[in-house]
Amino acid sequence: MDRKAIRETIALVSVVAGLGFVGLEIRQNNQLAEAAAYQSLGEATAATWFGAAHDPVMNRRWLESLSADSTWWEAQDPETVEALMSYWVGTMRLYETLYLQVELGLLDPEAMDRLGWGVARDISALKYLWPFVSRGVTPEFQTYVTQNWDEQPRVQVVEDALRRMNIR
């Protein structure tokens, strides 16, 4: 084999090795981006719920609201309803961030269920508060949330809260 053929072979092997290295770097970068996405969601979730954890009355009402019917909602005072609206907006912003990260390909679609979206989407409190909560998220996410809902329930106390807040 002449020197020229040896140099070309070495050059070809170098190019192939370089491409393999670049592929490995891209894979590792994708793994780091996914880990960073999960970490940021975890930190945001912790920050959102830290305040709730230190207010036992609101924490109890939040838990009660998860499966409450219209009778429970109508029995709540306006301040409680407004506080629950704020809790839900914060929660939905977290899920919207998760949704966007899945849409951008940073996280796989299973991340939505793995991080609790499948359960949250069907909670009755979200449906009762949706007229308010929906204003805090993008139209694309609004469509995603409501695509499988039959009908949104309405309760007067939520409608009154929206009027007091000059939202209706």
Side-chain angles (χ1 to χ4, degrees):
M1 191 182 260
D2 67 356
R3 290 181 186 258
K4 183 178 179 185
I6 291 172
R7 283 192 305 260
E8 288 177 359
T9 302
I10 290 172
L12 178 63
V13 169
S14 297
V15 168
V16 170
L19 289 174
F21 179 74
V22 169
L24 180 63
E25 288 293 313
I26 290 172
R27 183 172 176 265
Q28 288 176 339
N29 190 36
N30 287 344
Q31 290 172 336
L32 288 172
E34 183 176 2
Y38 275 113
Q39 179 181 357
S40 69
L41 284 168
E43 290 170 354
T45 302
T48 299
W49 289 103
F50 185 78
H54 290 81
D55 186 345
V57 173
M58 277 310 298
N59 198 19
R60 181 177 41 73
R61 288 190 178 132
W62 166 262
L63 291 173
E64 289 172 352
S65 77
L66 296 181
S67 60
D69 61 10
S70 60
T71 306
W72 183 89
W73 283 101
E74 293 295 353
Q76 302 309 304
D77 60 86
E79 292 78 22
T80 297
V81 172
E82 290 171 16
L84 288 169
M85 287 175 169
S86 296
Y87 276 34
W88 270 102
V89 168
T91 300
M92 294 312 295
R93 292 298 305 205
L94 289 172
Y95 280 120
E96 182 177 32
T97 300
L98 172 60
Y99 168 78
L100 292 173
Q101 289 177 343
V102 168
E103 289 293 303
L104 292 172
L106 292 172
L107 297 175
D108 59 27
E110 291 79 31
M112 295 296 284
D113 286 331
R114 203 168 33 248
L115 294 174
W117 174 247
V119 174
R121 186 174 176 175
D122 294 325
I123 292 174
S124 65
L126 176 58
K127 293 178 182 180
Y128 281 109
L129 297 176
W130 189 246
F132 174 77
V133 174
S134 64
R135 289 168 168 75
V137 297
T138 63
E140 295 81 15
F141 190 62
Q142 291 174 13
T143 300
Y144 175 75
V145 170
T146 59
Q147 68 187 351
N148 293 322
W149 285 2
D150 295 331
E151 185 178 322
Q152 290 175 237
R154 300 278 187 189
V155 287
Q156 192 59 47
V157 68
V158 172
E159 301 294 325
D160 292 345
L162 293 171
R163 269 192 287 290
R164 271 194 313 282
M165 300 163 97
N166 292 321
I167 294 177
R168 284 271 156 159

